[in-house]
Amino acid sequence: YDGKGSELVMHELYRGILEQLYYSSICLDLASVYNVNTSGLHIPIAGDAPLAEFYDENTEIKPFNPATSKAILELHKMGQRVQCSNELLSDAYINVSNMVTNQIGSSFALTADTSYFQGNATVGIEGVCDAIEGYNAGSNVIEVADPDAPTTGELAFPWKTVHQNSRNRKWAVSPQGWAGVMAIATAPEAGAVVTDSVRATIYGAPVYVCTTLPDDVLAIYGDFEMSTAVGIKSNGVTLRGSAERAMELDAYVWVGTNRMAFAPHSPEFLAMLKESP
């Protein structure tokens, strides 16, 4: 008891991450998100349906076997450990608590977005960018001659290239790609809208600025929900603290964990603009 009302603070508070983050995850806004209750989840994916036929009365209707595949969401654990001296805690307890939760939450969000776009070969995660480049010999990739000033034709390439069934289309652009968009924002034929009050759009699709795209990728366009899946553990992010773990250092230790899965299963719904080598 510290004489400052600590008996009024619920212990369960320490098991969650406060929603005060320096960096918020973008992939959770783009992909289809699934709750995974076990170590993994299989998601069935249907192929394109053929055209139906017209039949005369009392005529047998022909069967067809739908083409299906599956996406595998295998959970991987990310973790972060933070250690603070008890002197720091006693001098600025509330600030340190916010700092720890912010740092761990932001770290997890940044790791999730980096893994989503770039993958992680160490744990076997394929990134969205690699999936697009590996699809149909890279036919959904265009190299931009001048990254600082992409042409309206280059911006139109992904719009006409992605699968025709792409419905909820969005842009994920790098800071450099965003600079190029700003450069042509005044061109009416680009269909670009750039304001402070509403989200920017290109060809009617909203734009998300993303700092975790690979250095040579300017933008990705298409239906991220139909092409990618992200799995999250039902209990979400957990945070545990211990005063005994670093007792010899007179320090307090927090350990945060989070389990997520990534599957870019249908790259035909996406197209990518890259910087020319």
Side-chain angles (χ1 to χ4, degrees):
Y1 179 68
D2 58 7
K4 299 178 181 179
S6 63
E7 77 282 2
L8 301 177
V9 180
M10 296 179 296
H11 291 290
E12 291 300 316
L13 174 65
Y14 299 103
R15 295 179 56 81
I17 291 289
L18 297 180
E19 294 183 2
Q20 300 175 5
L21 306 179
Y22 297 113
Y23 181 92
S24 297
S25 176
I26 295 175
C27 69
L28 296 179
D29 289 336
L30 297 176
S32 294
V33 180
Y34 297 86
N35 282 320
V36 182
N37 295 320
T38 60
S39 61
L41 179 68
H42 288 191
I43 304 171
I45 302 171
D48 291 337
L51 288 174
E53 299 183 24
F54 294 98
Y55 293 90
D56 294 330
E57 184 179 357
N58 292 325
T59 302
E60 180 185 0
I61 299 176
K62 301 175 184 178
F64 83 94
N65 294 321
T68 60
S69 58
K70 65 181 178 181
I72 301 176
L73 287 174
E74 181 182 357
L75 289 174
H76 301 278
K77 182 174 71 174
M78 61 183 78
Q80 192 71 277
R81 189 176 75 183
V82 181
Q83 184 169 303
C84 296
S85 67
N86 282 321
E87 287 85 356
L88 181 60
L89 290 176
S90 62
D91 292 341
Y93 181 79
I94 298 299
N95 290 337
V96 173
S97 176
N98 287 338
M99 178 197 70
V100 170
T101 54
N102 282 328
Q103 289 292 322
I104 292 180
S106 298
S107 173
F108 287 165
L110 187 61
T111 298
D113 281 353
T114 303
S115 302
Y116 176 76
F117 287 110
Q118 301 187 33
N120 188 310
T122 302
V123 295
I125 298 174
E126 182 183 17
V128 172
C129 297
D130 290 336
I132 298 173
E133 288 198 282
Y135 171 72
N136 197 17
S139 60
N140 282 23
V141 179
I142 184 174
E143 293 184 352
V144 177
D146 185 0
D148 294 327
T151 65
T152 54
E154 290 168 337
L155 287 178
F157 168 82
W159 184 85
K160 64 184 180 181
T161 302
V162 297
H163 195 284
Q164 61 181 358
N165 288 338
S166 300
R167 295 291 183 262
N168 190 18
R169 302 186 180 200
K170 299 176 182 178
W171 291 87
V173 302
S174 67
Q176 183 180 10
W178 176 247
V181 170
M182 293 287 286
I184 65 168
T186 57
E189 63 272 20
V193 177
V194 181
T195 70
D196 290 331
S197 58
V198 297
R199 183 178 293 278
T201 63
I202 305 175
Y203 295 122
V207 178
Y208 292 78
V209 181
C210 181
T211 60
T212 55
L213 289 171
D215 293 337
D216 60 343
V217 174
L218 300 177
I220 301 175
Y221 171 81
D223 193 329
F224 290 86
E225 291 184 8
M226 295 190 71
S227 59
T228 63
V230 172
I232 57 176
K233 191 63 177 174
S234 300
N235 61 344
V237 178
T238 62
L239 179 65
R240 301 177 301 276
S242 173
E244 288 77 30
R245 174 63 178 82
M247 182 182 297
E248 70 280 6
L249 300 175
D250 192 27
Y252 197 92
V253 177
W254 288 272
V255 173
T257 58
N258 187 26
R259 298 175 69 191
M260 297 186 68
F262 307 89
H265 51 77
S266 302
E268 65 270 22
F269 290 93
L270 297 173
M272 184 165 62
L273 280 71
K274 292 188 64 175
E275 181 179 353
S276 296

